């Protein structure tokens, strides 16, 4: 027996800062279709400051400079361009937090 619309539970998520640290990562060399132009790329498990773990690609960093515990921040990047007259698809990635002067 399912819930009626009136019985649905509503969960409100708190806003996230978009900052965290790399908890684990791997480098992808053999990518699925649609991601081959990014090879090699790094996929990380990022632990957000608020606690949740999320999976995301890393950007703006050399493979040799990634390590467990590196501080990162979320950025928006173009993931797919469907060509002239087509759709642009953006998504989130993480990059190392840039030093402040």
């Amino acid at each position: 027996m399912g819930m009626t619309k009136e019985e649905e539970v509503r969960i409100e998520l708190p806003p996230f800062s978009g900052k965290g640290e790399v908890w684990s990562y791997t480098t992808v060399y053999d990518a699925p279709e649609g991601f081959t132009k990014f090879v090699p790329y790094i996929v990380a498990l990022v632990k957000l400051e608020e606690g949740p773990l999320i999976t995301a690609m890393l950007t703006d960093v050399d493979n040799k400079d990634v390590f467990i515990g590196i501080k990162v921040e979320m950025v928006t990047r173009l993931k797919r361009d469907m060509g002239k007259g087509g759709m642009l698809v953006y998504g989130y990635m993480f990059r190392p937090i840039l030093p402040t002067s």
Side-chain angles (χ1 to χ4, degrees):
M1 183 182 247
M3 290 185 180
T4 66
K5 190 166 187 153
E6 292 76 30
E7 296 172 319
E8 288 179 9
V9 177
R10 301 217 182 258
I11 299 173
E12 293 201 24
L13 297 174
F16 293 112
S17 67
K19 294 183 180 178
E21 67 180 54
V22 171
W23 199 69
S24 184
Y25 69 94
T26 190
T27 303
V28 177
Y29 295 97
D30 187 19
E33 186 177 334
F35 290 88
T36 54
K37 68 180 178 183
F38 299 112
V39 171
Y41 61 90
I42 302 165
V43 175
L45 191 56
V46 175
K47 183 171 176 78
L48 297 175
E49 286 180 345
E50 295 80 10
L53 291 167
I54 62 171
T55 305
M57 287 175 64
L58 297 187
T59 188
D60 303 339
V61 64
D62 288 334
N63 191 2
K64 64 180 176 45
D65 296 328
V66 176
F67 56 90
I68 303 295
I70 187 172
K71 302 294 185 193
V72 292
E73 62 186 352
M74 189 185 80
V75 293
T76 303
R77 292 287 191 262
L78 179 64
K79 292 262 188 161
R80 215 171 294 144
D81 181 348
M82 303 296 201
K84 186 175 181 180
M87 197 166 59
L88 297 175
V89 179
Y90 291 88
Y92 68 90
M93 293 182 178
F94 282 81
R95 69 174 181 202
I97 293 179
L98 301 174
T100 56
S101 350

